[in-house]
Amino acid sequence: MGDPAAAGFDLSQLSLVLLAGSLVLVVAVAAVRLATHSGLPTLLLYLAIGLALGREGLGIPFDSEQMAQVLGYCALVLILVEGGLTTKWSSIRASVAPALALSTVGVLVSVAVVAVALHQILHTDWRISLLIGAILASTDAAAVFSVLRVVPLPRRLSGMLEAESGFNDAPVVLLVTALSLQIAHPADAEPWWAIGLLAVAELTGGALIGLAIGWLGGKLMQRLAQGTSGLFSLGVVAVGVLAYAAAATLHTSGFIACYLAALVLGNMHLSHRQSVTGFAEALGWLAQIGLFVMLGMLARPSGIVEEIPRAIVVGLVLLLVARPLSVLVSLTPFGVPWREQAFLSWAGLRGAVPVVLATVPVTNSVPGVEWVFELVFMLVVIFTLVQAPLLPWVARRLRVTEPALATGVVVESVPLEQLGAEMLEVAVVPGSRLAGVEVYELRLPRGANVSLVVRDEATFVPDAHTRLLTGDRLLVVTPGALREATEARFRAVSRAGRLAGWRTDV
């Protein structure tokens, strides 16, 4: 059977690993509450946990960029699958074209501006400058939406942020990989026009593979819907992962494939939707926690402190010049108002993706880039601390908030699912003209009903003449086919009051 000690891992070590892992998860879950109250994305807290566990903290050794890149890609796949499964096509449909422009043209503009600044201000080599610009070009959905959960944005604006963060990972990964190989092996470098054509081909191929696998996988899952909800949820997530693996094996973009496959699956009205969503979100949280803690363990506190001056310079260029210019160039042709452009410029938070991509040059043996990981890590931390807490304030100052926003409520309810019904939560926020309206005056679509009102921590079932007050939260049950109409009616009444739909100026 061999010497057990030679295996390098035994039951006692397993116990220690499970102890440390479970404690990290418990602390990470508790950190969500702290992040909610402070307005900071949870990624900062998870990075701090990783730093505390790492080489210069508790001393847990982890210094493999190769392992970090592999595990980072695994986590990003799960995060993109969760994002696709929980994104409603109706919420991003109008935003897809501008989001694609931000994810392509906007990325190139951002890379160019950051590269010029690095070369001119910090005298960095042109090739390394372009590489760092590419690494920093991707926005992070987890970072943005952890802050914006309490900020009701118009559907067009939130859809643009959501779609951009789902689309831009794929072209950025291709660009960083291509630049790294160009620098590491200049003798074998392809001309830029060939690299551009290859990127377009890989993105197109990945998109087609993702759409095909998503549709075929959805049809298969519909036939297997009689199984238990837990097993069914596992199968749906596996289809999304399959899309990444198939596309990557065929040398196309696996990231765009898994996101689009999950987006197709999430909008096919599959059975056990609540279970699928809950399972995908749990996997997404687990992936985020593991990813950020791992990246924190990989960083050296002494090394990242040395990069603070350079990180501030690069971050200011990114925040004040590169991101606004990329938004202006990408979105002006679509007639996006300047207020929304200004908000999108501030909301371009960087998170896990740039930090993971900072390991790519090292794993591809690019010379003289050992400092890039610390630079990117420090930039993400500093500018998340600057941008994230101010996002709600910026949204209010630019007047881009929605007076009321109906959000889906995940409820494990077999009768609701069998009836094709959905439950929404509507908050009567300050400034909303829902306040003072009686329930019957909402004139919701036939079949949609306000089932419960939460007021001052008390709950009651309203009648037709219950008057809504600021601070109320409503639970609304609506047929699935009427969800969009119900949401639209709440938005209209919130903006124009009880006369919405009768007045000609709304």
Side-chain angles (χ1 to χ4, degrees):
M1 293 296 291
D3 184 4
F9 195 83
D10 56 25
L11 288 179
S12 63
Q13 291 172 301
L14 173 64
S15 301
L16 290 174
V17 169
L18 292 178
L19 176 63
S22 57
L23 285 175
V24 167
L25 285 177
V26 171
V27 172
V29 171
V32 174
R33 184 177 182 86
L34 175 61
T36 301
H37 288 293
S38 64
L40 294 173
T42 52
L43 74 89
L44 292 180
L45 299 171
Y46 300 153
L47 288 173
I49 293 172
L51 285 171
L53 294 174
R55 287 169 288 177
E56 297 181 17
L58 294 179
I60 298 177
F62 183 74
D63 56 3
S64 172
E65 286 83 3
Q66 184 74 47
M67 179 64 71
Q69 184 181 337
V70 171
L71 295 178
Y73 275 40
C74 291
L76 291 177
V77 169
L78 292 177
I79 291 170
L80 285 172
V81 169
E82 184 260 337
L85 288 173
T86 55
T87 296
K88 284 194 168 292
W89 173 248
S90 59
S91 69
I92 68 168
R93 179 171 47 208
S95 307
V96 167
L100 284 173
L102 270 176
S103 303
T104 51
V105 176
V107 162
L108 295 177
V109 171
S110 179
V111 171
V113 172
V114 171
V116 169
L118 274 166
H119 183 71
Q120 296 297 330
I121 300 174
L122 300 177
H123 309 294
T124 308
D125 179 80
W126 265 117
R127 298 176 303 170
I128 302 299
S129 298
L130 286 168
L131 179 60
I132 295 173
I135 289 170
L136 294 171
S138 181
T139 57
D140 188 87
V144 172
F145 284 99
S146 65
V147 177
L148 295 182
R149 286 190 186 101
V150 294
V151 183
L153 292 175
R155 177 177 292 185
R156 176 183 180 182
L157 195 54
S158 62
M160 214 174 299
L161 282 168
E162 196 168 358
E164 180 199 8
S165 61
F167 291 143
N168 66 9
D169 287 351
V172 169
V173 169
L174 293 177
L175 185 57
V176 171
T177 304
L179 285 169
S180 298
L181 293 174
Q182 286 271 73
I183 300 171
H185 308 287
D188 301 327
E190 298 285 345
W192 285 107
W193 63 266
I195 293 176
L197 289 177
L198 179 62
V200 171
E202 289 192 11
L203 290 171
T204 303
L208 293 175
I209 291 171
L211 292 171
I213 289 180
W215 187 80
L216 292 172
K219 292 297 183 183
L220 175 63
M221 288 296 107
Q222 286 175 336
R223 292 182 176 274
L224 302 177
Q226 299 304 316
T228 62
S229 60
L231 189 59
F232 183 81
S233 302
L234 187 61
V236 171
V237 171
V239 172
V241 177
L242 172 65
Y244 171 86
T249 301
L250 295 174
H251 302 289
T252 59
S253 174
F255 287 113
I256 197 68
C258 68
Y259 179 72
L260 290 179
L263 185 63
V264 171
L265 284 165
N267 288 272
M268 289 185 71
H269 304 292
L270 299 176
S271 299
H272 308 299
R273 180 170 182 79
Q274 287 82 8
S275 296
V276 171
T277 301
F279 180 69
E281 288 180 345
L283 281 181
W285 275 111
L286 183 62
Q288 288 181 47
I289 293 169
L291 175 59
F292 294 134
V293 170
M294 177 195 69
L295 294 174
M297 293 176 64
L298 186 63
R300 295 179 301 108
S302 58
I304 61 177
V305 169
E306 294 173 2
E307 294 297 331
I308 289 178
R310 191 155 38 183
I312 291 175
V313 172
V314 178
L316 286 173
V317 171
L318 185 64
L319 175 63
L320 301 179
V321 184
R323 174 66 178 180
L325 188 59
S326 66
V327 170
L328 179 67
V329 171
S330 303
L331 300 186
T332 298
F334 296 96
V336 178
W338 73 266
R339 293 180 186 276
E340 295 185 6
Q341 290 193 29
F343 178 77
L344 288 168
S345 298
W346 190 266
L349 295 180
R350 269 58 185 174
V353 177
V355 185
V356 172
L357 291 180
T359 65
V360 173
V362 177
T363 58
N364 282 286
S365 304
V366 176
V369 293
E370 293 76 15
W371 54 274
V372 172
F373 180 85
E374 278 76 19
L375 168 70
V376 175
F377 186 99
M378 200 68 252
L379 185 149
V380 167
V381 170
I382 293 174
F383 284 88
T384 300
L385 284 169
V386 171
Q387 290 174 259
L390 292 177
L391 269 176
W393 179 83
V394 170
R396 290 192 296 270
R397 292 292 294 177
L398 291 172
R399 298 197 294 275
V400 296
T401 56
E402 186 76 53
L405 186 67
T407 57
V409 178
V410 177
V411 180
E412 289 293 343
S413 175
V414 174
L416 273 179
E417 186 174 283
Q418 290 177 344
L419 293 172
E422 295 191 32
M423 185 172 288
L424 306 176
E425 178 183 354
V426 180
V428 184
V429 299
S432 170
R433 298 187 67 179
L434 284 168
V437 173
E438 296 185 13
V439 169
Y440 82 93
E441 293 175 314
L442 292 171
R443 292 185 287 119
L444 298 176
R446 186 180 299 275
N449 291 284
V450 180
S451 301
L452 194 70
V453 175
V454 182
R455 177 180 296 167
D456 297 328
E457 306 304 324
T459 59
F460 61 91
V461 177
D463 59 30
H465 295 283
T466 297
R467 189 176 300 276
L468 304 180
L469 303 178
T470 299
D472 285 354
R473 285 178 294 147
L474 320 178
L475 288 183
V476 182
V477 177
T478 176
L482 297 177
R483 171 174 176 154
E484 290 188 40
T486 303
E487 291 184 10
R489 181 60 192 164
F490 272 110
R491 286 195 296 271
V493 177
S494 183
R495 286 192 296 264
R498 56 176 56 84
L499 297 181
W502 289 341
R503 291 170 45 180
T504 59
D505 59 343
V506 296

